[in-house]
Structures are given as C-alpha cells and as structure tokens.
Amino acid sequence: MLEASSPAKAILFGEHAVIYGKPAIAIALDLRMSIRVRESSSTSVDGGYITMNRHRYVRWALENIWKGGPLEIKTRSDIPSASGLGSSAALCCSIVAAIQIMGGSFQRAECARQAFEVEYNVQGKASPTDTSCSAHGRPILVSFKEEENHLWSVSKGDRCWHVHHIDSEPLTLVVGFTGRPSVTHLQVEKVAGFYRRSGFAVETIDEMGDIVIDGLKALKAGDRVGLGELMNRNHSLLTIVGVNTPELQKLKEAADPTSYGSKITGAGGGGSIIALTDRPEKTAANIERRGGRPFIARFSERGTEARWLGGDP
Ligand code: MEV
C-alpha cells in the first residue's frame, strides 16, 4: 500500500486572467488531501464503485495514465470540496504521484505536468496554476516568459505557461468559505463569454495582469500593506467580471476591519475569500459571526508527497 498527499492552494492574484495570457500567483496552504492506494480485485474509491460524476479526475487518471490492474483508493481531506482551495488539483496531484510511485519513482515536475493534463482534460479550459501549486508547494508564479526559479513549462494551443517558485516570507491567511460550491468550469465559461463580448472585460483582465506584477514585488518585499491594497483591487476586478456573490462579499466585509486586504480566491461564484491579516483569530471569529466557515491557513513549503506504507488502510 502507498500514501500520497498534496496541499490546498489559494490564488493570491490573477485567477481567470491567467487563462488569457496574464500571470498569476498562488500559494500552497497547510491543509492537505491524501489518498491510500493498493492493488485489489476491483477498482473502488472510498469503498464504492468508480462513477463518472463523482470520480471524474480519478477515472481519467486511471484510464489514461495508469497501466496496471484494479486499485482500491481511500481518500481523506482537510480541504472542503468546491471551496476554491484546489481540492480537485490536490486530488489530481495525489493520484498521479501514487501512479508514479507504483511505476518506479516520484518526479515532481512530471507530477505537475500530468496532474495538469488530468485537470485540463476533465475541466476543459484550465491553466496549470492550481496543479503546479499543489505539486510544488510554496508560493508559485505562473507567467508567460521564463524567469528566475523556473520549475517547468507547458503549452496548450497558442498559450505557453512557465511555472516558477517565488521566495517570500511565510504569511498567514484566513480563508472564509461560504459553504456554497464554486464550480470552476461554469465560472470560467461565464468570464469567457464576457471577455468575448466586451472590450471592458478585456481591459479588466489586462488590469488584473498589472496587479499580479505589482503583487510579485510586494510579496518578495514582504510588504503586507501593499499586498492588502492589491488584494482589494483584484477583488473589485473579479466583481466586475461577474464572479462575486452576496455571500462572498459579506465575508469580505466581515474580514476587512482586521485585515490588510481580502479577496475572492479561485474561480468564485461561491467558494471562499482569503484575508491577509496579523490578527487571524479575530478575523476568523468575524467571518464565523457572518455565517462563513473560517480556516486559519499558513503558507506551506510542502508540495505533493508519496511513499510506500505497510499494512491495511
Ligand atoms: C481556479 O482556481 C483558477 C482559474 O483561473 C482557473 C484556472 O486557472 O485553471 C479560475
């Protein structure tokens, strides 16, 4: 039997815009999802048969990457699903890592590449941001030119994404989960429709790209005030492209009095906000009081990990 685990991610700047040729910054968080896998007489996930609806990522990975026989898979997760925190990406990375270990050895950049293929094929439009952050850990920059601390690159159609680690001091975020699902492909399609129809949407996406560039400088300099202001601006732009909701806005307003800044993280339309704060307990209490589910999350150095175990699951 073997175990593979991967972290949650939060997008600090640039979600949606990263699909249109702009950079993005994501951070691995200290919430993890893990799977235990062993060979078996029939394939199962958490004791049930694999289904197209509930296990799309696992099914695609097994059908297209795994070359062996049936597997018993058990999952455990601290990451709420459809919360905007990358639970699907963490699952993709963990299943790919398990397959790699069974085939010989775990290779991190290849795990990021294959996990992106799984997400891309299951979701349709996707960038490698979530899967790369989960595979590699730490903060990452996804950009359209190769820069320092380069990890790997991938092309799809006319897009080429380059993934890099960013050196930054560890920061504390408070996540406020609305409890409503964020369905990535629906939000991505919604923004795509707006982008096709409106020059204003194109300008808004361009401005998100500028925020990421300023955000990178602020992150490297440990400038929390600057980061907070940029998070607030990025949130306003995400509102313009239509992925904010009354629940997300309520949690942002609950977090703001004790934070440097806050914003939607991930695809939006549900899911979570993140707040950058030095008073995480107070911010978490304010979010809870307004009906959200708070998590105090720290930057995590750890990306995907996989190892052989002995015994039963
Ligand atoms: C979702 O976490 C981030 C999006 O930009 C989609 C993607 O990059 O694949 C909305």
Side-chain angles (χ1 to χ4, degrees):
M1 177 177 340
L2 63 88
E3 184 176 66
S5 76
S6 305
K9 69 82 187 66
I11 298 194
L12 193 56
F13 301 111
E15 51 274 270
H16 289 288
V18 69
I19 292 176
Y20 302 92
K22 306 295 166 198
I25 296 172
I27 309 153
L29 301 178
D30 57 357
L31 301 167
R32 295 184 78 83
M33 93 81 58
S34 64
I35 60 172
R36 287 188 171 193
V37 180
R38 67 173 172 192
E39 293 190 16
S40 175
S41 54
S42 63
T43 295
S44 64
V45 178
D46 295 330
Y49 289 117
I50 204 157
T51 68
M52 199 56 197
N53 276 346
R54 289 183 53 229
H55 308 119
R56 290 176 302 153
Y57 298 97
V58 173
R59 188 175 166 146
W60 197 94
L62 294 184
E63 285 177 355
N64 294 279
I65 305 175
W66 173 234
K67 304 274 181 279
L71 298 175
E72 179 187 295
I73 300 168
K74 294 197 172 171
T75 66
R76 198 177 45 203
S77 187
D78 312 324
I79 314 170
S81 66
S83 59
L85 300 178
S87 60
S88 312
L91 175 62
C92 293
C93 290
S94 297
I95 190 77
V96 166
I99 291 171
Q100 282 191 346
I101 289 273
M102 287 185 289
S105 65
F106 171 63
Q107 285 158 353
R108 194 171 299 283
E110 184 58 14
C111 174
R113 193 186 67 73
Q114 289 188 331
F116 169 57
E117 283 301 327
V118 179
E119 212 176 52
Y120 187 87
N121 282 284
V122 171
Q123 263 176 223
K125 271 199 174 89
S127 78
T129 313
D130 295 10
T131 38
S132 295
C133 187
S134 193
H136 286 282
R138 295 175 45 187
I140 62 152
L141 168 72
V142 178
S143 70
F144 295 87
K145 57 182 193 323
E146 217 175 294
E147 300 183 29
E148 61 173 352
N149 298 327
H150 175 255
L151 295 167
W152 72 289
S153 302
V154 63
S155 299
K156 286 281 174 201
D158 58 355
R159 291 266 174 271
C160 181
W161 291 280
H162 301 281
V163 181
H164 313 80
H165 264 150
I166 304 170
D167 291 323
S168 88
E169 64 178 82
L171 298 173
T172 299
L173 295 173
V174 178
V175 176
F177 178 35
T178 58
R180 295 209 177 231
S182 169
V183 183
T184 301
H185 74 98
L186 294 180
Q187 299 307 313
V188 168
E189 280 161 26
K190 181 175 176 181
V191 174
F194 187 35
Y195 189 84
R196 274 194 304 273
R197 287 192 310 275
S198 153
F200 182 50
V202 175
E203 280 169 26
T204 307
I205 293 280
D206 284 349
E207 207 178 323
M208 286 184 193
D210 296 341
I211 286 178
V212 180
I213 292 163
D214 291 346
L216 182 61
K217 287 184 203 140
L219 187 60
K220 285 182 174 172
D223 172 8
R224 289 159 203 235
V225 173
L227 284 169
E229 281 167 8
L230 291 164
M231 288 168 78
N232 289 337
R233 277 178 52 205
N234 199 160
H235 179 83
S236 302
L237 299 176
L238 288 166
T239 304
I240 291 172
V241 298
V243 300
N244 198 0
T245 66
E247 290 87 1
L248 286 164
Q249 188 60 29
K250 191 168 69 178
L251 298 191
K252 174 176 169 53
E253 284 164 17
D256 276 348
T258 54
S259 303
Y260 294 103
S262 65
K263 64 179 277 292
I264 295 162
T265 190
S272 304
I273 60 124
I274 47 169
L276 178 64
T277 175
D278 289 336
R279 292 189 280 164
E281 280 80 15
K282 187 90 188 106
T283 305
N286 289 345
I287 287 173
E288 193 159 24
R289 203 168 301 119
R290 297 296 301 275
R293 189 167 148 203
F295 300 86
I296 297 175
R298 293 183 174 81
F299 281 27
S300 178
E301 295 284 311
R302 291 167 61 200
T304 296
E305 294 169 355
R307 65 196 172 109
W308 285 105
L309 303 167
D312 289 328

